[in-house]
Each structure stands twice: as C-alpha cells, then as structure tokens.
Amino acid sequence: QVQLVQSGAEVKKPGASVKVSCKTSGYTFTGFQVHWVRRAPGQGLEWMGWINPRSGGTNFAQKFRGRVTMTDDTSTSTAYMELNRLISGDTAVYYCARHRHDYGFAFDVWGQGTMVTVSS
Amino acid sequence: SYVLTQPPSLSVAPGQTARITCGGINSGTKTVHWYQQKPGQAPVLVIYYETARPSGIPERFSGSTSGNTATLTINRVEAGDEADYSCQEWLDGGDLWVFGRGTKLTVL
C-alpha cells in the first residue's frame, strides 16, 4: 500500500524557517518525483515544486525560487521541504504528493498534510 | 503568469448534474486533471489525462475538454460529493504544474 506520511504541525515566527518531512512507503522511492503543494486558508491549491529522488534534481515555481529547498534521503525514502524567511502569508497546510508519468503527471497519492502557522 | 479560471462556487440539488469548468488550459493538451478535496482531508485525484478515472472513482465522475476549457461533470450528485474541486495542468514546456483556484460544490 502506497503511503506518504508527513511530519506534525509547526508554529513559527516571521523570518524563521520550517522543514517538513514526507516519509514514503509501499513503492520504489527513486521511481517517482515528489511534489510539494500548499493550501492557505481561503485559497486554492498552490504547486511549489518537485524533487527527483533518483537524481536529486529539483524544479520550483517561480514564486518560491530562492526561498525553498527540497531534499531527500534515499536510505529512509523520505523527502523534505524547507521554506525560509517565513511570512504570515506562508500560513497554510503543506502537502507532499507523488506524480505518475503514466497518469499524465497527475498526483495519484498525497500525504495527509502538515499545518504550518506563522505568527508573532 | 499562467492562470486557470474556475467559478468560485456551484450549488446543485441531489440527483442533478454538476458541471465545473476550468478555463485557460492549453488547447489540445491532454495533461489536465481534477482533484476533490473535503474539509480537513488531502486532495483525491478523480480524473486524470482529461477523461480517465482512477480505480475506485465512481462512473458518475467524468471529464472533457473543448478548446481552452476543461469540464468536470458529476452526474446524479450525492450529498457526499460536497467538496472543493480543483483542476490542474502540467505545462511540459517548463516542467511546471499549475492549479485552478478551486470550485466549492454545495449540495442543496
């Protein structure tokens, strides 16, 4: 059974950083890119970027370049997303998801979400 | 920036048909997908590759495109279909993904 299990909720102050983990199981970690998506209160889903666990390559939405880092640990099949210089507008639920090439790059499995609250 | 346009909300009576549109997609693209998200839950893929349904998604859910608009159709709407529905497109030119703002479906 394919599963993506994320780390717990975080509360951070403006200007700080947050690192969210996504532990995968039930499939070959290096065979699928892992994406990060967020949903702020009252807003729609927002794609942030992806990491390719096979190569370590990454690609980010323009909005997050320079402020986000995505890494992985193939020994534990875990992906990480770190967002720096947090502002109140970064308050959101952050999700990791896997895409399937044979599904037209749709996201077929998602983590349960991690609530990140940015507040002074 | 690339924008996919969805109506913010749609209300439908049980048993009726809901049609949710997503405007601004690349004409001819096949890599358009739809997600259902209920409060407090992660999104669930309901349509991929424009028209295909993942295993476990009822046949009442279908997708189509015409020109620059994709449409998610839900036949015989049930109370359990009440959720936010978001479209997504893969932009192969930049290997980027973009979501619509989402449509909140209310079942009356």
Side-chain angles (χ1 to χ4, degrees):
Chain A
Q1 177 190 4
V2 177
Q3 282 191 303
L4 282 65
V5 179
Q6 299 181 222
S7 48
E10 303 264 13
V11 179
K12 297 292 183 181
K13 293 193 183 302
S17 298
V18 68
K19 190 171 186 177
V20 180
S21 68
C22 172
K23 184 169 177 56
T24 72
S25 61
Y27 73 98
T28 302
F29 181 59
T30 53
F32 298 82
Q33 291 179 357
V34 175
H35 296 254
W36 291 89
V37 177
R38 75 180 187 181
R39 187 162 201 159
Q43 304 296 311
L45 295 169
E46 184 173 31
W47 178 75
M48 299 178 69
W50 57 254
I51 182 166
N52 183 333
R54 182 186 298 275
S55 65
T58 55
N59 193 21
F60 307 126
Q62 181 69 37
K63 175 178 180 177
F64 298 102
R65 290 176 187 168
R67 206 160 66 93
V68 69
T69 304
M70 294 181 187
T71 57
D72 63 59
D73 181 346
T74 55
S75 69
T76 61
S77 299
T78 302
Y80 300 90
M81 185 282 298
E82 184 171 21
L83 190 61
N84 304 312
R85 302 190 299 279
L86 292 168
I87 61 175
S88 59
D90 292 319
T91 294
V93 179
Y94 289 76
Y95 297 96
C96 60
R98 179 187 83 163
H99 92 227
R100 281 186 58 162
H101 181 93
D102 58 339
Y103 274 27
F105 309 99
F107 300 170
D108 69 324
V109 184
W110 295 66
Q112 84 277 17
T114 297
M115 181 71 215
V116 175
T117 302
V118 182
S119 174
S120 55
Chain B
S1 62
Y2 198 83
V3 175
L4 297 180
T5 303
Q6 296 185 237
S9 62
L10 178 67
S11 297
V12 175
Q16 299 302 301
T17 298
R19 294 183 180 85
I20 299 172
T21 58
C22 174
I25 65 170
N26 282 315
S27 181
T29 186
K30 294 290 188 183
T31 52
V32 175
H33 320 296
W34 289 92
Y35 299 86
Q36 175 195 70
Q37 187 174 22
K38 297 180 179 179
Q41 299 184 20
V44 172
L45 180 66
V46 295
I47 294 291
Y48 67 94
Y49 254 144
E50 187 180 290
T51 60
R53 273 180 293 104
S55 172
I57 300 302
E59 291 183 9
R60 300 183 297 104
F61 288 79
S62 64
S64 63
T65 62
S66 177
N68 298 109
T69 299
T71 302
L72 172 70
T73 300
I74 309 172
N75 292 315
R76 302 180 300 283
V77 166
E78 303 174 356
D81 298 332
E82 190 163 283
D84 282 326
Y85 291 85
S86 299
C87 59
Q88 179 198 41
E89 184 178 358
W90 174 60
L91 307 177
D92 62 353
D95 201 16
L96 305 171
W97 280 254
V98 64
F99 287 96
R101 289 289 305 271
T103 298
K104 179 175 174 56
L105 176 66
T106 299
V107 181
L108 300 170

